[in-house]
Amino acid sequence: MSELVFASQLITAASVSETAETDSVQSFPEKTLAKLKTSKLLTASIPEEYGGQNLGLTPGTNLALLTILKNIGKGNLVMGRVLEGHINAQILINQFGNEKQKKLFASDAFDGKLFGVWNTQASDGTFLSKVGKGIYYLNGSKTFATGTDYVSRPIVTAAKKDGSWQMCVVPLDEANLKSDSSWWNPMGMKSSRSFKLTFLKTPVLKINLLGSAGEYYQQPGFSGGAVRFAAVQLGGAEQLLDETKKYLVSLNRTQDPFQKMRLGQMAIAVESGNQWLNGAALRMDHYMKKTTKSRGENLIIFANMMRTAIEQICIEVMNLCQKCVGARGLNKPYHFERIIRDLSTYLRQPAPDAVLGDVGGYVLNSENSASEIWNLNFNKEKNE
C-alpha cells in the first residue's frame, strides 16, 4: 500500500500545472489520467486473485485508499472525482459481481478501461427493458455523467418494469448514445465533463447486469461511501493551505501577526480533516472485519459526520485563504481562484441537511453519553 500512496504523492506534484491548463468544459486532464494508469492506481481496487491489490476491499487498506484519494484531489480535484468514481465502481463489482463478472471487468481495467458510477438523472431518466433471452435495452438519460468520452465502463442504474433499480456495467464502445455537453456549464469542476448522456436502445447483455435489483442502495456501502468523496475534497483544502503559505512567503508577509493567525486556523482545520479521515478508515476496517448491523449503523453515522465536517472545514479554509491573499491573489497565474471554484462546486453533494439530521436523530435515540456514543462499542469491539 505504501508504494501506491507514494505514487499518488508524485502524481499530486506533477498534476497542478495541467489542472490549470485544462480548466474548461471541453478539456480533460489526460496526462494525469495516464499517470494513474502507469502507477497501477486504476487496478489497485481489484481483488488480488484477479491481479489487483485489494485497496479498499479488505481491512487495513482503507487509510491508504482515503489518503490516495486525498492526494489526487490535492493536485487536481477533477481527477480526484474521476478516480473516486472508478474506485467506487470497482468496490461495487467486488461486492455484487459473480466470479465471471469479476474476471471480465478486471481484464477491462487492466486494458486501461476507465470505470465510473452514473446514478443521477432528471425526469427523463434511464430504464431497462428485456427484449430477448439474456438481452436488454437501455434507454433514457443520465446527468452528471462524469468523465464523458473517457469513462468507457460506467455502472449505470436503470429502472426495470417493476420499478426496481438495476446496476448495469455498460460497455460504451458498443453503445448507442447521444452526448449533450451544453448541459454542463458549471462554476467549477469544468473539465470533469459531467455531461448529459442519453442511451438509445443500447443493448445490455445479462453478463453486464451487476447484482440484483435494488442492491446499489444497500447499506452501509451506499451512505458509507461518502467518506471517499470527502477525502478528495480535503485534498483541495490541503492544497489551498500549501498555496497560501507559498504566496505569503513569496511576498515576504510571514511576520504579519494576522496572517500568522489565519494560517494557524487553516492548519488546525486541515489537520482536523485528517483526523476525521483516520477515524473513518478505522471504522471501515472495523466493519469489514465483522459486518454486523450495529457496526454498519455506526459507520453510516460516522460517514455522515465526516462528510459534514469536511464540508465545514473546506468552507473555512476557502474563506481564510481569500482573506490571506486578497484580490491580487485571486488573479492568474495563481491557482486560488480555480481551486476555490472547483472545491465550491464539488462540495455540493446530495442531501447535506438530511445526513446531518440523521446524526442528530442517532444522538437523540442513543442511551450513551457524549463521551461514549461514538467510541464505547467501537473501542470494545476492536480489541476482540
Side-chain angles (χ1 to χ4, degrees), residues 22-280:
T22 57
D23 183 28
S24 73
V25 170
Q26 297 302 329
S27 296
F28 192 78
E30 295 179 351
K31 295 178 182 177
T32 304
L33 177 60
K35 288 184 173 68
L36 289 178
K37 290 180 179 180
T38 57
S39 66
K40 299 181 180 180
L41 287 174
L42 295 186
T43 56
S45 293
I46 292 171
E48 285 184 350
E49 60 189 297
Y50 303 115
Q53 299 185 54
N54 282 338
L55 181 69
L57 306 182
T58 57
T61 65
N62 287 297
L63 181 57
L65 169 62
L66 297 182
T67 302
I68 287 166
L69 288 171
K70 182 187 73 170
N71 288 343
I72 300 303
K74 183 174 181 177
N76 187 329
L77 282 164
V78 165
M79 190 49 67
R81 167 70 189 97
V82 170
L83 178 61
E84 189 275 325
H86 177 87
I87 289 175
N88 187 11
Q90 299 297 340
I91 290 172
L92 289 169
I93 291 166
N94 178 68
Q95 185 176 3
F96 298 114
N98 57 41
E99 184 177 356
K100 188 175 181 180
Q101 289 174 318
K102 290 178 182 180
K103 287 181 179 179
L104 172 63
F105 300 135
S107 176
D108 284 343
F110 277 100
D111 285 342
K113 305 295 185 184
L114 186 62
F115 286 69
V117 179
W118 295 346
N119 180 52
T120 309
Q121 60 187 40
S123 58
D124 56 347
T126 48
F127 58 95
L128 195 67
S129 54
K130 190 171 184 178
V131 293
K133 186 176 181 180
I135 303 175
Y136 300 79
Y137 276 161
L138 179 64
N139 287 280
S141 302
K142 287 294 183 184
T143 53
F144 294 99
T146 296
T148 296
D149 297 327
Y150 290 87
V151 168
S152 58
R153 293 293 184 274
I155 293 179
V156 178
T157 53
K160 297 177 72 174
K161 188 176 181 179
D162 62 3
S164 60
W165 284 84
Q166 175 68 52
M167 289 183 284
C168 315
V169 184
V170 185
L172 293 191
D173 40 15
E174 304 169 10
N176 302 317
L177 49 83
K178 180 175 66 175
S179 172
D180 180 8
S181 62
S182 67
W183 186 89
W184 182 242
N185 190 25
M187 177 177 73
M189 300 291 284
K190 293 182 178 181
S191 63
S192 68
R193 300 177 66 88
S194 300
F195 299 165
K196 179 179 180 179
L197 277 187
T198 301
F199 296 92
L200 307 166
K201 288 188 176 181
T202 295
V204 177
L205 302 180
K206 188 175 181 180
I207 186 67
N208 295 105
L209 300 184
L210 184 65
S212 301
E215 286 187 326
Y216 174 72
Y217 295 103
Q218 184 172 304
Q219 298 287 19
F222 180 69
S223 296
V227 300
R228 294 191 293 270
F229 69 66
V232 179
Q233 294 166 348
L234 181 61
E238 274 200 358
Q239 183 68 354
L240 281 178
L241 174 56
D242 285 349
E243 292 287 331
T244 303
K245 174 186 172 183
K246 186 191 306 182
Y247 178 84
L248 295 176
V249 169
S250 70
L251 297 180
N252 196 27
R253 294 181 182 173
T254 58
Q255 297 307 309
D256 184 297
F258 299 107
Q259 298 287 29
K260 288 181 180 179
M261 181 187 71
R262 293 182 191 121
L263 262 291
Q265 290 175 302
M266 292 173 74
I268 291 170
V270 169
E271 185 54 28
S272 297
N274 281 312
Q275 295 303 318
W276 277 106
L277 188 149
N278 290 334

